[in-house]
Amino acid sequence: MDDLDILAELEEMARASLVLDEPENAEPLPADVTHHQRDMDLEVPPEILNHVPQPPKFGKVKYLVKLENPIHSSEIVHRLGCITMPHEVFTATDEDGDTTKFCKIGEEAKFHILQHFRQNKSRFQPTVIRYNVADKDLFKTSIYPTLGCDATLPQNRITGDDDKRLLSARNEYPVWYFFYGTLADPDVLREQLGVEVDYREASIKGGVLKTWGGKYKALVDAPDGKAPPVKGKAFLVKDKKVEETLRTYETDKYEVTRCLIEMADFGEEVRGLTFRFAGEADEAKD
């Protein structure tokens, strides 16, 4: 065997050593096997995806944050809490006659304020108290909140400052309230206010009654604002003190909203207020 034959045999042996030991009928691998393997390597396992932090969800609960150093003004509270709308400031007096101010905030503002001090590793801990009172936030430039009405729709936009749908105003007294639950019971209302009560039979439109907590009535917006009238009692609230007593009784599970009250005795309609359910949507049951 000459040198050329030996060289040819060595080349044949080298080619044979590169052949994969596969069955004769094996299917060829995909042409993009490299890309396929790369995609598999980059795929994130489901268990890791499930641990990705989700942004917090904020509810409607309100709080009072004490105005004290280093958050001694409502302006600082607004800045730290990322608040764009003005919030109420309350003044409280203790037994010694010393006054303390509190600013009302929502859950999102509370989150941002507490996060600010945690991130800065501050020893200061803001004093935050849950404001367990039915919220009353009647807009001056919008019909919001109004029972059964979406204030963002074109037909529900106000025509001016004298638009009657802006009634009742925030600090307007006396004001008619529509009651449909326990406050429609004269014994309950008498116990809360300490006076004899005088109701008028009445009804409102734009809402439907549901139940929450297994026993409490919850007035919610009717779908498309269409539903049979809700019957109840109308009561004239004469001043802010009486109103605050009612709001405290209803708790923050409810909010004050505008409504149109129809009196049953003479059929007249008056613009007033009622308590709409403010809990989570899935809490109110048919």
Side-chain angles (χ1 to χ4, degrees):
M1 180 179 297
D2 56 22
D3 293 341
L4 292 177
D5 293 335
I6 295 174
L7 180 59
E9 185 174 351
L10 290 174
E11 290 177 350
E12 181 64 27
M13 293 174 61
R15 285 195 295 269
S17 66
L18 295 176
V19 177
L20 296 175
D21 186 14
E22 296 179 339
E24 294 182 358
N25 60 349
E27 296 182 0
L29 292 173
D32 59 347
V33 64
T34 304
H35 294 163
H36 177 70
Q37 183 62 46
R38 181 195 62 189
D39 293 341
M40 291 181 62
D41 293 340
L42 293 177
E43 185 176 350
V44 181
E47 58 270 18
I48 296 180
L49 285 175
N50 293 336
H51 287 83
V52 175
Q54 299 296 321
K57 295 181 179 179
F58 303 108
K60 298 180 180 180
V61 178
K62 302 295 183 181
Y63 298 89
L64 296 179
V65 57
K66 185 178 180 180
L67 299 184
E68 56 184 338
N69 282 325
I71 48 174
H72 52 78
S73 69
S74 59
E75 289 77 16
I76 296 177
V77 172
H78 287 187
R79 177 169 55 83
L80 297 183
C82 302
I83 301 172
T84 56
M85 299 292 291
H87 279 56
E88 291 180 273
V89 175
F90 299 87
T91 301
T93 305
D94 61 20
E95 296 178 352
D96 298 327
D98 297 327
T99 60
T100 303
K101 291 187 176 182
F102 295 85
C103 183
K104 187 171 73 172
I105 60 175
E107 283 192 349
E108 184 174 1
K110 174 193 172 187
F111 170 81
H112 289 304
I113 292 172
L114 296 181
Q115 186 182 51
H116 168 79
F117 289 103
R118 283 196 298 265
Q119 290 178 344
N120 288 277
K121 299 181 180 180
S122 172
R123 294 184 178 181
F124 174 75
Q125 182 66 27
T127 302
V128 181
I129 306 169
R130 179 164 178 167
Y131 186 63
N132 194 21
V133 177
D135 196 28
K136 183 184 180 184
D137 194 9
L138 307 179
F139 283 34
K140 295 180 180 179
T141 57
S142 168
I143 67 170
Y144 180 85
T146 297
L147 183 67
C149 290
D150 183 350
T152 63
L153 296 179
Q155 64 268 30
N156 290 332
R157 293 172 184 168
I158 63 171
T159 57
D161 294 340
D162 58 348
D163 194 315
K164 293 183 179 180
R165 293 174 298 175
L166 292 176
L167 301 176
S168 296
R170 180 175 181 79
N171 293 311
E172 178 184 350
Y173 303 99
V175 57
W176 284 100
Y177 263 80
F178 176 82
F179 298 148
Y180 55 87
T182 53
L183 287 179
D185 183 335
D187 292 334
V188 173
L189 191 59
R190 187 182 303 111
E191 180 181 355
Q192 294 300 314
L193 302 182
V195 298
E196 289 299 319
V197 299
D198 184 17
Y199 290 125
R200 291 178 67 179
E201 296 291 332
S203 63
I204 57 173
K205 296 179 181 179
V208 293
L209 286 181
K210 294 191 176 184
T211 303
W212 75 275
K215 58 180 179 179
Y216 301 108
K217 290 185 177 181
L219 179 68
V220 299
D221 288 338
D224 300 324
K226 298 178 181 179
V230 176
K231 295 182 179 181
K233 310 285 188 181
F235 178 77
L236 188 63
V237 173
K238 296 182 179 180
D239 54 47
K240 185 175 182 178
K241 183 178 180 180
V242 172
E243 184 184 60
E244 288 179 344
T245 300
L246 299 174
R247 290 172 59 197
T248 301
Y249 173 80
E250 289 289 4
T251 76
D252 60 0
K253 279 293 186 180
Y254 296 84
E255 62 184 354
V256 177
T257 183
R258 296 182 176 107
C259 65
L260 189 62
I261 306 173
E262 182 176 350
M263 303 299 184
D265 45 12
F266 299 109
E268 64 175 315
E269 290 185 335
V270 298
R271 295 194 176 274
L273 304 171
T274 190
F275 290 103
R276 180 171 60 186
F277 184 66
E280 299 298 329
D282 58 358
E283 290 184 87
K285 309 295 183 181
D286 292 326

